[in-house]
Amino acid sequence: MSLRAAVLRHIRLPVQTLPAIGSRPQSQLSFLRLFSSHDDHLTKEEVIDRVLDVVKSFPKVEPSQVTPDVHFQKDLGLDSLDNVEIVMALEEEFKLEIPDKEADKIDSCNLAIEYIYNHPMAG
Amino acid sequence: MAFTLRSVKVPPNSASLEEARGRVFDFFRQACRSIPTIMDIYNLDDVVTKSQLRSTIASEIRKNTHVTNPKVIDMLLFKGMEELNNIVEHAKQRHHIIGQYVLGRQGLAQDLDTKDEGVSDFLKNFYKSNYF
């Protein structure tokens, strides 16, 4: 009986000291939110960088002329088929599938960056 | 079956050049979206990149930009779809793909060297006609 009480006393001790130590890990983890997907979107700089990289690595394009608001057909001198090809390259880079109606509207770097930034599935 | 779905999709006639051009872009997008499958089937990862294949497909399409008759465009699209179907359903082999779509741009080196490079202008004119 006394042994049991002694053992129980020993077991109870760690529970009492927990609140003193336990509060710190919780406050550190409170802004980690491991299962939240709200912080998952790409930042605008990242989108701009990756879009410009895709456009610059297009073989018919001069890398020095590429700016974030360049127009594919007017400024870079590409034709409509090249436009579609650039949109397909962007689809591959960001793992998206852009429907045809939207893809036809994407005519310049601006529109591409906007569309990708606003797309929830951009990866 | 993925490949039979593709070939059935081509409808009879395009009404205008605009509609035909829309169909060309649809075909191009479809071909580009099946590039990952193609690279996987034929193990092309160390031979060519996806963007090179895209450029190749675009230049093949561009070879026919001078065509203005929508019916001719429809016919060319039908042939293109057929070719795409054949490739995706593994009816072709790796050396076909490499020879037709990877190497085709600069040509096989031997052909370019020996064909017309060293021949003189006189001989070229001579081969063309009697009067020069």
Side-chain angles (χ1 to χ4, degrees):
Chain A
M1 209 37 205
S2 60
L3 180 63
R4 188 170 158 242
V7 169
L8 280 175
R9 235 179 286 128
H10 276 283
I11 295 175
R12 268 189 225 130
L13 267 174
V15 179
Q16 279 174 359
T17 53
L18 249 182
I21 310 171
S23 56
R24 245 174 282 139
Q26 266 184 10
S27 61
Q28 277 174 1
L29 288 172
S30 62
F31 48 83
L32 241 180
R33 279 168 56 188
L34 294 164
F35 295 109
S36 150
S37 59
H38 285 293
D39 307 323
D40 214 1
H41 292 301
L42 299 172
T43 61
K44 193 123 195 206
E45 285 84 39
E46 205 181 331
V47 173
I48 294 179
D49 281 336
R50 283 166 73 179
V51 168
L52 289 186
D53 277 340
V54 167
V55 178
K56 279 180 197 169
S57 53
F58 195 67
K60 292 191 188 172
V61 161
E62 284 254 353
S64 51
Q65 282 184 346
V66 177
T67 69
D69 41 316
V70 76
H71 195 277
F72 296 142
Q73 295 189 35
K74 290 184 202 158
D75 296 330
L76 295 175
L78 305 173
D79 69 353
S80 48
L81 193 63
D82 289 323
N83 201 342
V84 180
E85 198 177 331
I86 288 186
V87 171
M88 295 303 302
L90 290 171
E91 265 193 34
E92 182 201 336
E93 167 72 19
F94 291 97
K95 302 188 193 69
L96 295 176
E97 187 144 329
I98 305 179
D100 292 346
K101 283 191 186 166
E102 303 292 322
D104 283 337
K105 292 184 205 156
I106 296 185
D107 248 352
S108 65
C109 271
N110 262 336
L111 294 173
I113 292 170
E114 246 182 73
Y115 183 86
I116 293 173
Y117 185 63
N118 293 330
H119 202 290
M121 298 281 295
Chain B
M1 291 280 148
F3 41 90
T4 50
L5 276 178
R6 279 188 216 263
S7 55
V8 170
K9 234 193 252 178
V10 179
N13 273 320
S14 305
S16 66
L17 205 54
E18 279 307 310
E19 196 181 331
R21 138 198 278 248
R23 291 232 181 93
V24 171
F25 291 151
D26 286 342
F27 166 70
F28 180 62
R29 281 191 206 114
Q30 203 172 357
C32 284
R33 281 182 189 137
S34 40
I35 284 181
T37 311
I38 294 173
M39 299 205 48
D40 187 44
I41 292 176
Y42 297 98
N43 296 326
L44 294 172
D45 287 318
D46 28 343
V47 184
V48 76
T49 69
K50 288 184 187 129
S51 64
Q52 279 173 326
L53 277 180
R54 270 198 292 268
S55 304
T56 307
I57 298 177
S59 54
E60 292 282 324
I61 292 180
R62 205 166 274 132
K63 276 186 196 166
N64 295 315
T65 40
H66 55 276
V67 179
T68 52
N69 189 355
K71 292 189 183 173
V72 178
I73 296 180
D74 280 342
M75 186 272 292
L76 290 168
L77 275 179
F78 184 79
K79 292 177 65 102
M81 283 300 288
E82 188 183 15
E83 177 78 10
L84 183 63
N85 276 340
N86 282 340
I87 293 177
V88 168
E89 64 187 32
H90 211 331
K92 296 212 160 200
Q93 291 173 346
R94 193 166 181 255
H95 63 278
H96 294 128
I97 309 294
I98 293 183
Q100 289 169 359
Y101 298 106
V102 175
L103 277 186
R105 309 306 116 205
Q106 63 269 29
L108 298 172
Q110 306 92 292
D111 283 355
L112 272 185
D113 274 351
T114 56
K115 209 172 199 181
D116 276 332
E117 291 299 303
V119 178
S120 64
D121 284 333
F122 172 80
L123 276 180
K124 280 188 197 157
N125 290 332
F126 179 78
Y127 293 146
K128 249 193 277 178
S129 74
N130 276 333
Y131 310 104
F132 55 88

